[in-house]
Amino acid sequence: MIKKVSACVAMLIGFVLGAEAQIGGQRSFSFLELPTNAKLAAMGGVNVSSWSHDVNMVASNPGLLQSEMDNQLSLSYTGYLADITHSNLAYAFNSERFGRYAVGLNYINYGDFIRRDANGMELGTFSVNDYTFSLSHARQTEAFTIGATLKMAVSSMAGDKAVGLLADVGGTFKHPEEDLTVGLAFKNIGYQVKPFDGGERQPMPFDAQLGLSYKPEHMPVRLSLTAHRLYQFDIVYLDPNQRGPLDANGEEIKEEKKLGDKIARHFVAGAEFVFSKNFQIRAGYNHLRRKELRLDTASGGAGLSLGAMLRVRSFELNYGAAFFHPSGGSHYITVSTNTSTFLKRKSS
């Protein structure tokens, strides 16, 4: 078992080291990088180590799939700007013969658009949407859990489709005595099997993420720190068309990349304030999001996120608010239940 795990890790490290630098706008299926549920959104959008019963976290790291998620059914909904909607369905189950699995369906609807001919005449409307089907499997050996997720991603526009086959591979270490979890995930390893008609194949939105979550014994807060885009150190983008301020001689002062900013853009911080098993408050900060989406004159709440969890009888309600821009953000609602517990209550 150890030899197989070592071989897999070595192969993945080789893949990461050999990956070409990838920046925004040059990769297909970028919607796979969006948070799919309220908890993840509230904690900054990136987390691979938050160990809990929330089946939605399998989408972040298949190594988080564990027994507390068995029979958990969850539905998430997000309303973005311009009537864009994002929905996600997740369910986990355990089979004595085949082991523990989770399935997921992720769907984004961008709405209807007016179809026009070369002369600008209206020819009706067409729709644009993205969706993903996923199947996850994980095995636990003492304090270690190793998992994988297979995904089929589809982008559809006016009847034309692009299709990709991808995989996530991840693992976690759960300390046997302390509330400490370390997670590692390699996301969206795959290939675009079919591009849009007339288009070229594009690389997948690969990411390598490493994170840690820790709750001090006598403190009601679990802290998380996650590093992402580990395959590329410099992810700072400076707009060459943006004009900077002028110095005393009237010369333009060009913005320069700073080492501290290069490092900080790789990290996302999150916190879960655990008041009880039925109520939590969450917060997060994503430095990359803040730097890339702020205005020249103001940052507002860009990069910040907040949320809460409330459990009532068989149902758990999660809310998350992620601020992408000074003008506003997006709101996430997730409703979850344990199907076996729910059915027992209904039958009694």
Side-chain angles (χ1 to χ4, degrees), residues 210-227:
L210 175 65
L212 179 147
S213 296
Y214 175 64
K215 181 183 179 299
E217 184 177 0
H218 300 293
M219 292 182 62
V221 59
R222 181 179 294 108
L223 303 173
S224 295
L225 185 64
T226 309

Side-chain angles (χ1 to χ4, degrees), residues 32-330:
L32 294 172
E33 298 180 292
L34 294 173
T36 59
N37 59 87
K39 176 180 178 178
L40 185 61
M43 297 182 64
V46 183
N47 189 296
V48 294
S49 59
S50 181
W51 187 274
S52 72
H53 62 276
D54 193 338
V55 65
N56 292 288
M57 295 305 295
V58 177
S60 296
N61 182 359
L64 290 172
L65 178 59
Q66 41 92 13
S67 59
E68 292 184 10
M69 297 179 181
D70 291 350
N71 302 315
Q72 289 286 339
L73 175 65
S74 181
L75 178 63
S76 300
Y77 177 83
T78 308
Y80 288 114
L81 300 175
D83 295 329
I84 299 174
T85 60
H86 187 179
S87 303
N88 187 77
L89 177 69
Y91 179 69
F93 61 94
N94 184 46
S95 168
E96 294 184 1
R97 181 177 179 182
F98 299 106
R100 182 163 287 110
Y101 288 86
V103 293
L105 172 61
N106 188 34
Y107 179 76
I108 301 179
N109 182 11
Y110 300 93
D112 293 328
F113 298 82
I114 298 176
R115 185 194 300 267
R116 300 179 185 271
D117 62 16
N119 298 318
M121 298 294 294
E122 291 190 15
L123 300 176
T125 61
F126 66 92
S127 61
V128 180
N129 51 68
D130 295 321
Y131 51 93
T132 308
F133 301 99
S134 63
L135 175 65
S136 304
H137 176 60
R139 289 186 177 273
Q140 185 173 354
T141 303
E142 295 181 350
F144 294 90
T145 303
I146 297 177
T149 299
L150 298 179
K151 297 183 285 188
M152 182 179 73
V154 180
S155 291
S156 176
M157 180 170 58
D160 188 14
K161 290 181 172 60
V163 181
L165 296 178
L166 308 96
D168 297 344
V169 180
T172 57
F173 167 76
K174 181 73 169 62
H175 196 283
E177 298 178 359
E178 303 288 339
D179 192 341
L180 169 67
T181 306
V182 179
L184 173 66
F186 299 92
K187 309 284 292 294
N188 301 319
I189 305 168
Y191 181 71
Q192 188 178 29
V193 295
K194 180 189 179 300
F196 285 111
D197 292 342
E200 298 181 354
R201 286 185 172 85
Q202 294 180 314
M204 299 295 98
F206 171 77
D207 200 0
Q209 301 173 358
L210 175 65
L212 179 147
S213 296
Y214 175 64
K215 181 183 179 299
E217 184 177 0
H218 300 293
M219 292 182 62
V221 59
R222 181 179 294 108
L223 303 173
S224 295
L225 185 64
T226 309
H228 61 114
R229 299 178 187 258
L230 297 178
Y231 58 87
Q232 182 182 354
F233 175 66
D234 185 2
I235 57 175
V236 177
Y237 174 76
L238 300 179
D239 187 354
N241 299 317
Q242 182 178 348
R243 296 188 60 84
L246 303 179
D247 60 17
N249 299 322
E251 298 292 334
E252 181 181 355
I253 302 175
K254 289 289 187 179
E255 185 178 4
E256 297 181 355
K257 297 181 179 181
K258 299 179 181 179
L259 178 61
D261 186 38
K262 289 181 181 180
I263 296 174
R265 291 192 187 215
H266 285 277
F267 288 93
V268 176
E272 301 171 82
F273 298 91
V274 186
F275 297 104
S276 74
K277 66 177 184 178
N278 296 322
F279 180 65
Q280 295 181 9
I281 292 179
R282 298 164 180 147
Y285 174 70
N286 188 319
H287 188 67
L288 176 65
R289 183 185 296 167
R290 183 172 183 84
K291 297 295 287 188
E292 290 192 340
L293 299 181
R294 64 186 177 91
L295 298 176
D296 294 338
T297 56
S299 297
L304 299 175
S305 54
L306 298 169
M309 181 277 286
L310 177 64
R311 185 178 300 163
V312 180
R313 295 177 64 82
S314 301
F315 291 92
E316 182 176 295
L317 176 64
N318 285 271
Y319 168 76
F323 303 98
F324 296 101
H325 190 270
S327 63
S330 297

